[in-house]
Amino acid sequence: MPGLFDPLTIRSVTFRNRIFVSPMCQYSCDDGLVNDWHLVHLGSRAIGGASLVMVEATAVNPVGRITAWDAGLWSEAHTAAFARSPRFIQDHGAVAGIQLAHAGRKASTEKPWKGGQVLTQGRIPGLRTPRARFPSARATHRLMR
């Protein structure tokens, strides 16, 4: 039976061990742009020996963010800001991964430690389906057509 510190190959990717870091929302972005906080947070996991370091839920467009402080990847500026972290992670022997996300009806909420309620001011215009199950989305999000 393989051990925790044995390499693992999945298709063409070889991980130096079986220690993977799950994506953790940091709520530390300004307009979706990752910054030095992310470089240090993610890079330290690679330096610490993890073989896969996953970037937090990253919205593919501004409307898809859970909060206004989530990471985004919808412009050249976002791509440039993101480039440092994966390069650093790879330079320290780990594989960089990303969790692409779209919050849908749960978009535009406050940070969890501030209650996590749907924002009524300073909110991201969200979208919802006709049968939105997230109660506050029915009142605050635009109906998809």
Side-chain angles (χ1 to χ4, degrees), residues 33-35 38-39 42 55 72-73 75-91 96 98:
L33 295 167
V34 296
N35 52 50
H38 298 87
L39 178 66
L42 299 167
V55 175
L73 196 55
S75 75
E76 293 300 320
H78 292 91
T79 303
F82 254 111
R84 294 184 335 156
S85 294
R87 190 169 34 248
F88 187 89
I89 290 166
Q90 291 166 353
D91 287 349
I98 189 168

PDB file of all heavy atoms in Angstrom, residues 33-35 38-39 42 55 72-73 75-91 96 98:
ATOM      1  N   LEU A  33      -9.032  40.901  -7.712  1.00  0.00           N
ATOM      2  CA  LEU A  33      -7.591  40.779  -7.969  1.00  0.00           C
ATOM      3  C   LEU A  33      -6.881  40.145  -6.769  1.00  0.00           C
ATOM      4  O   LEU A  33      -6.966  40.658  -5.646  1.00  0.00           O
ATOM      5  CB  LEU A  33      -6.977  42.151  -8.256  1.00  0.00           C
ATOM      6  CG  LEU A  33      -7.464  42.822  -9.531  1.00  0.00           C
ATOM      7  CD1 LEU A  33      -7.046  44.281  -9.561  1.00  0.00           C
ATOM      8  CD2 LEU A  33      -6.949  42.085 -10.749  1.00  0.00           C
ATOM      9  N   VAL A  34      -6.189  39.032  -7.013  1.00  0.00           N
ATOM     10  CA  VAL A  34      -5.386  38.432  -5.953  1.00  0.00           C
ATOM     11  C   VAL A  34      -4.184  39.337  -5.688  1.00  0.00           C
ATOM     12  O   VAL A  34      -3.808  40.146  -6.525  1.00  0.00           O
ATOM     13  CB  VAL A  34      -4.951  36.986  -6.299  1.00  0.00           C
ATOM     14  CG1 VAL A  34      -6.153  36.073  -6.422  1.00  0.00           C
ATOM     15  CG2 VAL A  34      -4.108  36.943  -7.548  1.00  0.00           C
ATOM     16  N   ASN A  35      -3.579  39.178  -4.509  1.00  0.00           N
ATOM     17  CA  ASN A  35      -2.518  40.092  -4.101  1.00  0.00           C
ATOM     18  C   ASN A  35      -1.436  39.357  -3.314  1.00  0.00           C
ATOM     19  O   ASN A  35      -1.391  38.125  -3.326  1.00  0.00           O
ATOM     20  CB  ASN A  35      -3.132  41.241  -3.290  1.00  0.00           C
ATOM     21  CG  ASN A  35      -3.998  40.719  -2.153  1.00  0.00           C
ATOM     22  OD1 ASN A  35      -3.572  39.860  -1.391  1.00  0.00           O
ATOM     23  ND2 ASN A  35      -5.228  41.216  -2.056  1.00  0.00           N
ATOM     24  N   HIS A  38      -2.339  36.345  -1.067  1.00  0.00           N
ATOM     25  CA  HIS A  38      -2.526  35.054  -1.726  1.00  0.00           C
ATOM     26  C   HIS A  38      -1.184  34.393  -2.032  1.00  0.00           C
ATOM     27  O   HIS A  38      -1.025  33.184  -1.870  1.00  0.00           O
ATOM     28  CB  HIS A  38      -3.356  35.226  -2.996  1.00  0.00           C
ATOM     29  CG  HIS A  38      -4.724  35.738  -2.701  1.00  0.00           C
ATOM     30  ND1 HIS A  38      -5.002  37.080  -2.591  1.00  0.00           N
ATOM     31  CD2 HIS A  38      -5.891  35.092  -2.464  1.00  0.00           C
ATOM     32  CE1 HIS A  38      -6.277  37.230  -2.295  1.00  0.00           C
ATOM     33  NE2 HIS A  38      -6.843  36.037  -2.224  1.00  0.00           N
ATOM     34  N   LEU A  39      -0.224  35.195  -2.467  1.00  0.00           N
ATOM     35  CA  LEU A  39       1.106  34.653  -2.750  1.00  0.00           C
ATOM     36  C   LEU A  39       1.702  34.011  -1.504  1.00  0.00           C
ATOM     37  O   LEU A  39       2.208  32.893  -1.543  1.00  0.00           O
ATOM     38  CB  LEU A  39       2.029  35.753  -3.282  1.00  0.00           C
ATOM     39  CG  LEU A  39       3.455  35.329  -3.575  1.00  0.00           C
ATOM     40  CD1 LEU A  39       3.510  34.332  -4.730  1.00  0.00           C
ATOM     41  CD2 LEU A  39       4.312  36.550  -3.892  1.00  0.00           C
ATOM     42  N   LEU A  42      -0.676  30.837  -0.273  1.00  0.00           N
ATOM     43  CA  LEU A  42      -0.538  29.651  -1.118  1.00  0.00           C
ATOM     44  C   LEU A  42       0.908  29.173  -1.201  1.00  0.00           C
ATOM     45  O   LEU A  42       1.184  27.976  -1.135  1.00  0.00           O
ATOM     46  CB  LEU A  42      -1.089  29.950  -2.511  1.00  0.00           C
ATOM     47  CG  LEU A  42      -2.572  30.329  -2.565  1.00  0.00           C
ATOM     48  CD1 LEU A  42      -2.933  30.901  -3.914  1.00  0.00           C
ATOM     49  CD2 LEU A  42      -3.437  29.138  -2.207  1.00  0.00           C
ATOM     50  N   VAL A  55      -6.068  26.991  -5.472  1.00  0.00           N
ATOM     51  CA  VAL A  55      -6.485  28.373  -5.270  1.00  0.00           C
ATOM     52  C   VAL A  55      -7.974  28.368  -4.932  1.00  0.00           C
ATOM     53  O   VAL A  55      -8.725  27.527  -5.414  1.00  0.00           O
ATOM     54  CB  VAL A  55      -6.222  29.194  -6.554  1.00  0.00           C
ATOM     55  CG1 VAL A  55      -6.750  30.606  -6.421  1.00  0.00           C
ATOM     56  CG2 VAL A  55      -4.739  29.199  -6.872  1.00  0.00           C
ATOM     57  N   GLY A  72     -11.143  36.602  -8.725  1.00  0.00           N
ATOM     58  CA  GLY A  72     -11.766  36.580 -10.036  1.00  0.00           C
ATOM     59  C   GLY A  72     -10.740  36.345 -11.125  1.00  0.00           C
ATOM     60  O   GLY A  72      -9.541  36.531 -10.929  1.00  0.00           O
ATOM     61  N   LEU A  73     -11.236  35.921 -12.268  1.00  0.00           N
ATOM     62  CA  LEU A  73     -10.366  35.655 -13.407  1.00  0.00           C
ATOM     63  C   LEU A  73     -11.143  35.987 -14.681  1.00  0.00           C
ATOM     64  O   LEU A  73     -11.485  35.122 -15.462  1.00  0.00           O
ATOM     65  CB  LEU A  73      -9.923  34.189 -13.383  1.00  0.00           C
ATOM     66  CG  LEU A  73      -8.736  33.790 -14.239  1.00  0.00           C
ATOM     67  CD1 LEU A  73      -7.511  34.640 -13.938  1.00  0.00           C
ATOM     68  CD2 LEU A  73      -8.405  32.322 -14.029  1.00  0.00           C
ATOM     69  N   SER A  75     -10.391  39.153 -16.564  1.00  0.00           N
ATOM     70  CA  SER A  75      -9.742  40.183 -17.384  1.00  0.00           C
ATOM     71  C   SER A  75      -8.240  39.930 -17.439  1.00  0.00           C
ATOM     72  O   SER A  75      -7.704  39.101 -16.687  1.00  0.00           O
ATOM     73  CB  SER A  75     -10.001  41.574 -16.810  1.00  0.00           C
ATOM     74  OG  SER A  75      -9.199  41.789 -15.653  1.00  0.00           O
ATOM     75  N   GLU A  76      -7.563  40.649 -18.310  1.00  0.00           N
ATOM     76  CA  GLU A  76      -6.103  40.537 -18.398  1.00  0.00           C
ATOM     77  C   GLU A  76      -5.441  40.936 -17.083  1.00  0.00           C
ATOM     78  O   GLU A  76      -4.426  40.355 -16.692  1.00  0.00           O
ATOM     79  CB  GLU A  76      -5.576  41.389 -19.556  1.00  0.00           C
ATOM     80  CG  GLU A  76      -5.988  40.880 -20.923  1.00  0.00           C
ATOM     81  CD  GLU A  76      -5.484  39.468 -21.209  1.00  0.00           C
ATOM     82  OE1 GLU A  76      -4.338  39.140 -20.843  1.00  0.00           O
ATOM     83  OE2 GLU A  76      -6.243  38.689 -21.803  1.00  0.00           O
ATOM     84  N   ALA A  77      -6.004  41.920 -16.395  1.00  0.00           N
ATOM     85  CA  ALA A  77      -5.454  42.343 -15.099  1.00  0.00           C
ATOM     86  C   ALA A  77      -5.521  41.201 -14.087  1.00  0.00           C
ATOM     87  O   ALA A  77      -4.587  40.992 -13.306  1.00  0.00           O
ATOM     88  CB  ALA A  77      -6.204  43.566 -14.575  1.00  0.00           C
ATOM     89  N   HIS A  78      -6.599  40.446 -14.112  1.00  0.00           N
ATOM     90  CA  HIS A  78      -6.738  39.300 -13.207  1.00  0.00           C
ATOM     91  C   HIS A  78      -5.729  38.212 -13.555  1.00  0.00           C
ATOM     92  O   HIS A  78      -5.122  37.610 -12.673  1.00  0.00           O
ATOM     93  CB  HIS A  78      -8.163  38.756 -13.254  1.00  0.00           C
ATOM     94  CG  HIS A  78      -9.162  39.697 -12.678  1.00  0.00           C
ATOM     95  ND1 HIS A  78      -9.814  40.618 -13.454  1.00  0.00           N
ATOM     96  CD2 HIS A  78      -9.599  39.877 -11.418  1.00  0.00           C
ATOM     97  CE1 HIS A  78     -10.623  41.323 -12.687  1.00  0.00           C
ATOM     98  NE2 HIS A  78     -10.511  40.899 -11.437  1.00  0.00           N
ATOM     99  N   THR A  79      -5.559  37.964 -14.839  1.00  0.00           N
ATOM    100  CA  THR A  79      -4.597  36.961 -15.285  1.00  0.00           C
ATOM    101  C   THR A  79      -3.186  37.341 -14.837  1.00  0.00           C
ATOM    102  O   THR A  79      -2.449  36.500 -14.320  1.00  0.00           O
ATOM    103  CB  THR A  79      -4.635  36.825 -16.827  1.00  0.00           C
ATOM    104  OG1 THR A  79      -5.970  36.499 -17.219  1.00  0.00           O
ATOM    105  CG2 THR A  79      -3.689  35.751 -17.314  1.00  0.00           C
ATOM    106  N   ALA A  80      -2.827  38.602 -14.993  1.00  0.00           N
ATOM    107  CA  ALA A  80      -1.498  39.064 -14.597  1.00  0.00           C
ATOM    108  C   ALA A  80      -1.302  38.939 -13.087  1.00  0.00           C
ATOM    109  O   ALA A  80      -0.244  38.504 -12.618  1.00  0.00           O
ATOM    110  CB  ALA A  80      -1.291  40.514 -15.037  1.00  0.00           C
ATOM    111  N   ALA A  81      -2.325  39.303 -12.314  1.00  0.00           N
ATOM    112  CA  ALA A  81      -2.217  39.210 -10.859  1.00  0.00           C
ATOM    113  C   ALA A  81      -2.064  37.752 -10.413  1.00  0.00           C
ATOM    114  O   ALA A  81      -1.326  37.451  -9.474  1.00  0.00           O
ATOM    115  CB  ALA A  81      -3.444  39.848 -10.208  1.00  0.00           C
ATOM    116  N   PHE A  82      -2.766  36.863 -11.086  1.00  0.00           N
ATOM    117  CA  PHE A  82      -2.717  35.446 -10.730  1.00  0.00           C
ATOM    118  C   PHE A  82      -1.383  34.786 -11.082  1.00  0.00           C
ATOM    119  O   PHE A  82      -0.998  33.798 -10.473  1.00  0.00           O
ATOM    120  CB  PHE A  82      -3.833  34.678 -11.431  1.00  0.00           C
ATOM    121  CG  PHE A  82      -4.952  34.280 -10.530  1.00  0.00           C
ATOM    122  CD1 PHE A  82      -6.195  34.861 -10.664  1.00  0.00           C
ATOM    123  CD2 PHE A  82      -4.767  33.327  -9.541  1.00  0.00           C
ATOM    124  CE1 PHE A  82      -7.240  34.496  -9.839  1.00  0.00           C
ATOM    125  CE2 PHE A  82      -5.791  32.960  -8.705  1.00  0.00           C
ATOM    126  CZ  PHE A  82      -7.042  33.550  -8.853  1.00  0.00           C
ATOM    127  N   ALA A  83      -0.678  35.284 -12.057  1.00  0.00           N
ATOM    128  CA  ALA A  83       0.501  34.604 -12.605  1.00  0.00           C
ATOM    129  C   ALA A  83       1.578  34.328 -11.559  1.00  0.00           C
ATOM    130  O   ALA A  83       2.261  33.313 -11.630  1.00  0.00           O
ATOM    131  CB  ALA A  83       1.086  35.415 -13.755  1.00  0.00           C
ATOM    132  N   ARG A  84       1.736  35.204 -10.596  1.00  0.00           N
ATOM    133  CA  ARG A  84       2.816  35.035  -9.603  1.00  0.00           C
ATOM    134  C   ARG A  84       2.643  33.792  -8.743  1.00  0.00           C
ATOM    135  O   ARG A  84       3.602  33.054  -8.521  1.00  0.00           O
ATOM    136  CB  ARG A  84       2.895  36.261  -8.692  1.00  0.00           C
ATOM    137  CG  ARG A  84       3.304  37.503  -9.386  1.00  0.00           C
ATOM    138  CD  ARG A  84       3.463  38.700  -8.469  1.00  0.00           C
ATOM    139  NE  ARG A  84       2.697  38.623  -7.250  1.00  0.00           N
ATOM    140  CZ  ARG A  84       2.992  39.272  -6.127  1.00  0.00           C
ATOM    141  NH1 ARG A  84       4.034  40.054  -6.071  1.00  0.00           N
ATOM    142  NH2 ARG A  84       2.236  39.152  -5.057  1.00  0.00           N
ATOM    143  N   SER A  85       1.441  33.561  -8.229  1.00  0.00           N
ATOM    144  CA  SER A  85       1.229  32.455  -7.291  1.00  0.00           C
ATOM    145  C   SER A  85       1.510  31.080  -7.901  1.00  0.00           C
ATOM    146  O   SER A  85       2.279  30.303  -7.325  1.00  0.00           O
ATOM    147  CB  SER A  85      -0.177  32.502  -6.696  1.00  0.00           C
ATOM    148  OG  SER A  85      -0.333  33.645  -5.900  1.00  0.00           O
ATOM    149  N   PRO A  86       0.924  30.728  -9.055  1.00  0.00           N
ATOM    150  CA  PRO A  86       1.230  29.404  -9.621  1.00  0.00           C
ATOM    151  C   PRO A  86       2.708  29.228  -9.945  1.00  0.00           C
ATOM    152  O   PRO A  86       3.270  28.153  -9.745  1.00  0.00           O
ATOM    153  CB  PRO A  86       0.385  29.334 -10.892  1.00  0.00           C
ATOM    154  CG  PRO A  86      -0.631  30.391 -10.768  1.00  0.00           C
ATOM    155  CD  PRO A  86      -0.093  31.420  -9.826  1.00  0.00           C
ATOM    156  N   ARG A  87       3.340  30.292 -10.414  1.00  0.00           N
ATOM    157  CA  ARG A  87       4.776  30.216 -10.726  1.00  0.00           C
ATOM    158  C   ARG A  87       5.565  29.917  -9.446  1.00  0.00           C
ATOM    159  O   ARG A  87       6.437  29.050  -9.426  1.00  0.00           O
ATOM    160  CB  ARG A  87       5.228  31.527 -11.374  1.00  0.00           C
ATOM    161  CG  ARG A  87       6.603  31.489 -11.949  1.00  0.00           C
ATOM    162  CD  ARG A  87       6.960  32.700 -12.815  1.00  0.00           C
ATOM    163  NE  ARG A  87       6.369  33.968 -12.401  1.00  0.00           N
ATOM    164  CZ  ARG A  87       5.449  34.639 -13.090  1.00  0.00           C
ATOM    165  NH1 ARG A  87       5.006  34.171 -14.239  1.00  0.00           N
ATOM    166  NH2 ARG A  87       4.967  35.781 -12.657  1.00  0.00           N
ATOM    167  N   PHE A  88       5.242  30.601  -8.363  1.00  0.00           N
ATOM    168  CA  PHE A  88       5.925  30.386  -7.084  1.00  0.00           C
ATOM    169  C   PHE A  88       5.669  28.969  -6.566  1.00  0.00           C
ATOM    170  O   PHE A  88       6.591  28.287  -6.110  1.00  0.00           O
ATOM    171  CB  PHE A  88       5.448  31.423  -6.062  1.00  0.00           C
ATOM    172  CG  PHE A  88       6.212  31.396  -4.776  1.00  0.00           C
ATOM    173  CD1 PHE A  88       7.361  32.170  -4.631  1.00  0.00           C
ATOM    174  CD2 PHE A  88       5.803  30.606  -3.724  1.00  0.00           C
ATOM    175  CE1 PHE A  88       8.081  32.153  -3.444  1.00  0.00           C
ATOM    176  CE2 PHE A  88       6.519  30.576  -2.527  1.00  0.00           C
ATOM    177  CZ  PHE A  88       7.657  31.353  -2.386  1.00  0.00           C
ATOM    178  N   ILE A  89       4.419  28.530  -6.643  1.00  0.00           N
ATOM    179  CA  ILE A  89       4.058  27.180  -6.195  1.00  0.00           C
ATOM    180  C   ILE A  89       4.853  26.140  -6.977  1.00  0.00           C
ATOM    181  O   ILE A  89       5.441  25.218  -6.399  1.00  0.00           O
ATOM    182  CB  ILE A  89       2.530  26.958  -6.359  1.00  0.00           C
ATOM    183  CG1 ILE A  89       1.776  27.813  -5.343  1.00  0.00           C
ATOM    184  CG2 ILE A  89       2.166  25.491  -6.238  1.00  0.00           C
ATOM    185  CD1 ILE A  89       0.286  27.942  -5.631  1.00  0.00           C
ATOM    186  N   GLN A  90       4.912  26.287  -8.288  1.00  0.00           N
ATOM    187  CA  GLN A  90       5.641  25.331  -9.130  1.00  0.00           C
ATOM    188  C   GLN A  90       7.145  25.394  -8.881  1.00  0.00           C
ATOM    189  O   GLN A  90       7.818  24.354  -8.880  1.00  0.00           O
ATOM    190  CB  GLN A  90       5.321  25.590 -10.595  1.00  0.00           C
ATOM    191  CG  GLN A  90       3.877  25.233 -10.922  1.00  0.00           C
ATOM    192  CD  GLN A  90       3.427  25.787 -12.263  1.00  0.00           C
ATOM    193  OE1 GLN A  90       4.125  26.539 -12.920  1.00  0.00           O
ATOM    194  NE2 GLN A  90       2.210  25.419 -12.648  1.00  0.00           N
ATOM    195  N   ASP A  91       7.674  26.590  -8.653  1.00  0.00           N
ATOM    196  CA  ASP A  91       9.106  26.736  -8.365  1.00  0.00           C
ATOM    197  C   ASP A  91       9.511  26.021  -7.083  1.00  0.00           C
ATOM    198  O   ASP A  91      10.683  25.730  -6.879  1.00  0.00           O
ATOM    199  CB  ASP A  91       9.500  28.212  -8.256  1.00  0.00           C
ATOM    200  CG  ASP A  91       9.524  28.910  -9.606  1.00  0.00           C
ATOM    201  OD1 ASP A  91       9.438  28.228 -10.652  1.00  0.00           O
ATOM    202  OD2 ASP A  91       9.608  30.166  -9.606  1.00  0.00           O
ATOM    203  N   ALA A  96       0.058  23.601  -8.973  1.00  0.00           N
ATOM    204  CA  ALA A  96      -0.969  24.602  -8.690  1.00  0.00           C
ATOM    205  C   ALA A  96      -2.279  24.184  -9.343  1.00  0.00           C
ATOM    206  O   ALA A  96      -2.297  23.731 -10.482  1.00  0.00           O
ATOM    207  CB  ALA A  96      -0.530  25.963  -9.213  1.00  0.00           C
ATOM    208  N   ILE A  98      -6.743  25.273  -9.470  1.00  0.00           N
ATOM    209  CA  ILE A  98      -7.692  26.366  -9.240  1.00  0.00           C
ATOM    210  C   ILE A  98      -9.105  25.812  -9.220  1.00  0.00           C
ATOM    211  O   ILE A  98      -9.435  24.889  -9.960  1.00  0.00           O
ATOM    212  CB  ILE A  98      -7.540  27.464 -10.311  1.00  0.00           C
ATOM    213  CG1 ILE A  98      -8.358  28.699  -9.966  1.00  0.00           C
ATOM    214  CG2 ILE A  98      -7.896  26.926 -11.694  1.00  0.00           C
ATOM    215  CD1 ILE A  98      -8.018  29.907 -10.828  1.00  0.00           C
TER     216      ILE A  98
END
